[in-house]
Amino acid sequence: MCGIVGAVAQQNVTPILLEGLKRLEYRGYDSCGVALHVDGKLQRSRSTSRVADLQQQIAQTGLAGFTGIAHTRWATHGAPATHNAHPHFSRDRIALVHNGIIENHDELRAELQAAGYIFESQTDTEVIAHLVDHMYDGDLFHTVQQAVRRLTGAYAIAVFCADEPHRVVAARQGSPLIVGVGEGQNFVASDAMALAGTTDQIIYLEEGDVVDLQLQKVWIVDSNGRPAEREVRTVQAYTSAVELGPYQHYMQKEIFEQPRAIADTLEGVVRIMPELFGDKAYKVFKEIDSILILACGTSYYAGLTAKYWLESIARIPVNVEIASEYRYRDSVPNPKSLVVTISQSGETADTLAALKHARSLGMPHTLTICNVATSAMVRECELAYITRAGVEVGVASTKAFTTQLAALFLLTLALAQTRGLLTDEEEEAHLKAMRHLPAALQSVLALEPSIAAWSEAFARRENALFLGRGLHYPIALEGALKLKEITYIHAEAYAAGELKHGPLALVTDQMPVVTIAPNDALVEKLKSNMQEVRARGGQLYVFADGDSRITSAEGVHVIRMPEHYGVLSPILHVVPLQLLSYHTALARGTDVDKPRNLAKSVTVE
């Protein structure tokens, strides 16, 4: 969601800014723009189309400069329109881009309008540009330090001034921002991926930091205005990871990358031990008596799945909370609870805020399952497990979800071992099953042609139900979310036993009902629920384990999974649901990788 790139160099920075925007496209956006310092004046180009369109505009105008900022915007305040696109100008002196939400923008807007400023957009961002101009004292760095103290909310900003060539000032509070260090050139971005191929020397700014970027200088002060030393890290943002290769879409590519992603996530795990999660893990695991999982969206469903594992195998009570709700309700804190956050990016604003809220309530023990080792979530937590899914470009999460499940199952085993509930024989059996996951996933992916054949029927529908029981109820929830995200078909998931308590009223011969049917202890109960659907004329689409004795019949369509996988079955059963959503989206002609209204990385609340 929203991307920033800024540069100060001794060469034309336009290609760097545009390449950075291309690398940030995976985050989701609905407009984009570039502003440059050109012969003492501000010039810009903006588009409500893709970065490629912006690039064509710039090529036609020959826009070039040694100092510039660029942005991809996901609309919050104001519709996706050129006048709302960033960068925003103030009196042809200040150019500014912004990620986040300014909560006191109405108050500041009224104040600035009274001072004579005319607003051209509906955005909260233009308020910041005018505020910086209004407070400008001839030193942009000092001005920005003063201006951000007037802001309430979350922001990452980059700004330059027509009066000060070769200078960009940036600041962050609640939204991620990094600095790229070069030779005679320096950069700022919301994501290290934006600077891949430009520099691998990265500084991660901390909350409240303000940075002054010049040709030969990077100067940082903290929220109190004191000089701050921030570590320069070498970060390899692999550009090949975002190449499409032979696939039609990134989502398809990422679905098929899951065997490798799982193998990479489990690489080096030769035995189960708490230290997989950090040096302090054994001590922490011995002290806790419960777990609180905080997450959003797909990661929340990973947490719901883990609750079944943790309570049945590690015998530890688990609460799973939607992060965006948790911090706004009165909860009962337990200082002996392990707070587990789950996030693909490690920058999810709601989850970070919930984590900080939990700590403020007196819960010091924290652990994150995250895909980005350098993210804010990892830096904020006491313990961590990095999932190594690689870059995930498609907005609809696939390989991030299955690697999260793998990491959460490792956490389950590590806690069970610490609590004396895991024998050597059980440990070896679980490890053997986990090592076989990549091969098992390859067998599931081989079902793609059969799943694609179902998609034509789904593409003609506007509603669908998903059913699961036990461990597979959260997988049904995830399957319904995928269908909603990329096909725009209204889909709902239910624990199958809840059908007769209301949802059965929706079932007709026009309602496809996707059923996850592993051969587990609940399969006979599930068969009864399936009969309830058939009796009302519903069309069943069943993913069944080979030995579950569920056969195709009129109104019952069955695809057989290659094997039953016990407690790890959710990792396998979610893959055909991903493929069903993908092929249904293809049949409906929707934008698979960039579905409407959605963003990849949700860095605002």
Side-chain angles (χ1 to χ4, degrees):
M1 156 177 306
C2 296
I4 289 174
V5 192
V8 176
Q10 294 171 320
Q11 61 189 7
N12 177 24
V13 299
T14 306
I16 295 171
L17 298 177
L18 288 170
E19 184 62 28
L21 292 187
K22 287 179 183 177
R23 297 191 185 283
L24 292 176
E25 284 189 287
Y26 77 95
R27 297 162 71 98
Y29 67 105
D30 45 50
S31 63
C32 51
V34 169
L36 292 156
H37 190 285
V38 182
D39 298 327
K41 296 181 179 179
L42 306 183
Q43 292 190 21
R44 68 183 167 189
S45 183
R46 298 183 290 180
S47 172
T48 54
S49 187
R50 296 301 183 196
V51 174
D53 178 74
L54 178 68
Q55 189 170 20
Q56 288 182 352
Q57 288 184 34
I58 291 173
Q60 291 169 1
T61 60
L63 187 61
F66 299 139
T67 301
I69 52 178
H71 192 263
T72 53
R73 176 180 185 253
W74 187 80
T76 52
H77 296 78
T82 303
H83 66 276
N84 286 326
H86 301 210
H88 286 286
F89 285 179
S90 180
R91 293 185 174 175
D92 292 324
R93 180 168 64 173
I94 298 296
L96 182 141
V97 293
H98 163 230
N99 291 353
I101 292 177
I102 303 305
E103 295 172 2
N104 62 334
H105 69 97
D106 283 334
E107 168 193 331
L108 292 171
R109 183 186 297 265
E111 176 185 324
L112 290 161
Q113 285 175 327
Y117 284 89
I118 297 172
F119 284 78
E120 298 177 354
S121 77
Q122 290 81 48
T123 67
D124 53 342
T125 300
E126 192 180 2
V127 170
I128 314 174
H130 290 322
L131 179 65
V132 171
D133 182 82
H134 185 57
M135 299 180 69
Y136 185 63
D137 60 6
D139 183 333
L140 185 63
F141 185 55
H142 178 261
T143 299
V144 171
Q145 288 182 73
Q146 301 306 309
V148 295
R149 292 174 184 170
R150 298 286 315 278
L151 304 179
T152 301
Y155 58 82
I157 62 172
V159 54
F160 71 88
C161 178
D163 299 340
E164 299 184 57
H166 292 305
R167 191 181 206 186
V168 170
V169 175
R172 69 152 295 191
Q173 180 69 47
S175 290
L177 202 62
I178 61 103
V179 170
V181 180
E183 290 290 333
Q185 55 185 358
N186 291 300
F187 313 93
V188 65
S190 49
D191 187 325
M193 180 62 67
L195 302 179
T198 300
T199 181
D200 61 359
Q201 299 299 294
I202 302 298
I203 298 171
Y204 290 88
L205 297 178
E206 297 185 8
E207 291 288 88
D209 281 356
V210 183
V211 58
D212 185 3
L213 299 178
Q214 300 184 39
L215 290 174
Q216 305 290 344
K217 171 184 176 181
V218 173
W219 179 256
I220 302 171
V221 296
D222 64 18
S223 58
N224 296 311
R226 294 190 295 257
E229 293 291 330
R230 302 289 183 238
E231 179 185 358
V232 180
R233 306 186 189 190
T234 300
V235 175
Q236 298 295 335
Y238 296 105
T239 57
S240 61
V242 294
E243 294 172 0
L244 193 55
Y247 297 96
Q248 281 186 270
H249 298 89
Y250 285 106
M251 183 180 180
Q252 184 188 31
K253 174 178 183 276
E254 287 151 13
I255 290 171
F256 277 82
E257 284 177 338
Q258 288 176 112
R260 178 206 55 78
I262 292 284
D264 287 350
T265 296
L266 299 177
E267 185 179 7
V269 179
V270 295
R271 54 168 302 212
I272 301 301
M273 51 186 177
E275 288 73 22
L276 291 170
F277 298 87
D279 294 339
K280 299 177 182 178
Y282 179 78
K283 180 176 181 294
V284 170
F285 289 178
K286 293 295 285 186
E287 291 178 2
I288 63 169
D289 62 8
S290 63
I291 290 176
L292 170 64
I293 296 176
L294 303 172
C296 299
T298 286
S299 296
Y300 172 69
Y301 298 146
L304 290 179
T305 307
K307 176 182 173 73
Y308 286 91
W309 287 333
L310 287 159
E311 293 198 341
S312 66
I313 298 173
R315 308 301 298 168
I316 187 166
V318 179
N319 286 320
V320 187
E321 295 261 7
I322 298 171
S324 58
E325 290 290 320
Y326 170 70
R327 64 186 290 227
Y328 295 114
R329 71 174 189 85
D330 292 329
S331 58
V332 181
N334 176 7
K336 290 189 175 182
S337 188
L338 175 64
V339 180
V340 177
T341 63
I342 310 171
S343 170
Q344 187 278 136
S345 67
E347 305 289 350
T348 308
D350 289 319
T351 308
L352 279 168
L355 169 66
K356 293 173 184 177
H357 178 65
R359 282 210 309 254
S360 74
L361 294 178
M363 290 186 279
H365 298 311
T366 58
L367 181 152
T368 189
I369 305 294
C370 184
N371 191 40
V372 183
T374 53
S375 65
M377 204 79 72
V378 174
R379 297 196 302 273
E380 291 277 350
C381 284
E382 187 178 21
L383 306 173
Y385 194 91
I386 309 303
T387 54
R388 299 180 67 188
V391 176
E392 190 178 66
V393 176
V395 166
S397 181
T398 52
K399 62 180 180 174
F401 178 70
T402 49
T403 53
Q404 285 170 354
L405 291 179
L408 288 162
F409 192 71
L410 282 178
L411 176 63
T412 299
L413 298 182
L415 283 164
Q417 184 192 70
T418 304
R419 296 164 69 84
L421 298 172
L422 189 70
T423 66
D424 291 344
E425 293 76 15
E426 288 169 334
E427 177 183 348
E428 184 54 39
H430 285 309
L431 282 172
K432 183 179 179 181
M434 294 192 81
R435 293 188 192 108
H436 183 58
L437 275 172
L441 284 167
Q442 290 287 8
S443 298
V444 175
L445 290 168
L447 299 172
E448 185 182 27
S450 299
I451 297 168
W454 282 3
S455 65
E456 290 298 328
F458 273 79
R460 297 190 296 269
R461 302 291 180 246
E462 294 301 326
N463 299 281
L465 290 178
F466 286 70
L467 302 179
R469 297 204 71 148
L471 265 174
H472 296 83
Y473 168 47
I475 301 306
L477 288 165
E478 172 62 9
L481 177 62
K482 285 292 154 287
L483 198 69
K484 281 181 277 198
E485 282 181 304
I486 64 170
T487 72
Y488 316 145
I489 294 171
H490 174 246
E492 297 295 337
Y494 293 93
E498 287 295 294
L499 265 181
K500 53 187 166 291
H501 296 287
L504 202 57
L506 297 171
V507 174
T508 69
D509 60 359
Q510 297 299 303
M511 176 70 79
V513 181
V514 180
T515 308
I516 305 163
N519 190 21
D520 59 15
L522 292 171
V523 69
E524 296 302 324
K525 297 286 186 185
L526 185 64
K527 288 178 182 178
S528 297
N529 303 137
M530 291 166 59
Q531 288 301 319
E532 293 168 355
V533 171
R534 281 303 301 135
R536 276 78 180 176
Q539 294 289 309
L540 285 162
Y541 293 83
V542 186
F543 292 103
D545 285 346
D547 53 358
S548 60
R549 297 194 300 279
I550 297 173
T551 57
S552 296
E554 183 181 355
V556 182
H557 315 272
V558 179
I559 289 178
R560 299 205 171 279
M561 298 288 284
E563 56 185 305
H564 177 55
Y565 223 67
V567 291
L568 289 171
S569 175
I571 297 176
L572 299 189
H573 267 278
V574 76
V575 175
L577 303 183
Q578 296 168 351
L579 287 168
L580 179 62
S581 296
Y582 171 72
H583 283 283
T584 303
L586 285 187
R588 286 171 70 93
T590 60
D591 192 337
V592 173
D593 290 329
K594 298 182 181 72
R596 67 188 183 200
N597 304 334
L598 300 179
K600 180 64 179 174
S601 181
V602 184
T603 55
V604 297
E605 186 179 355

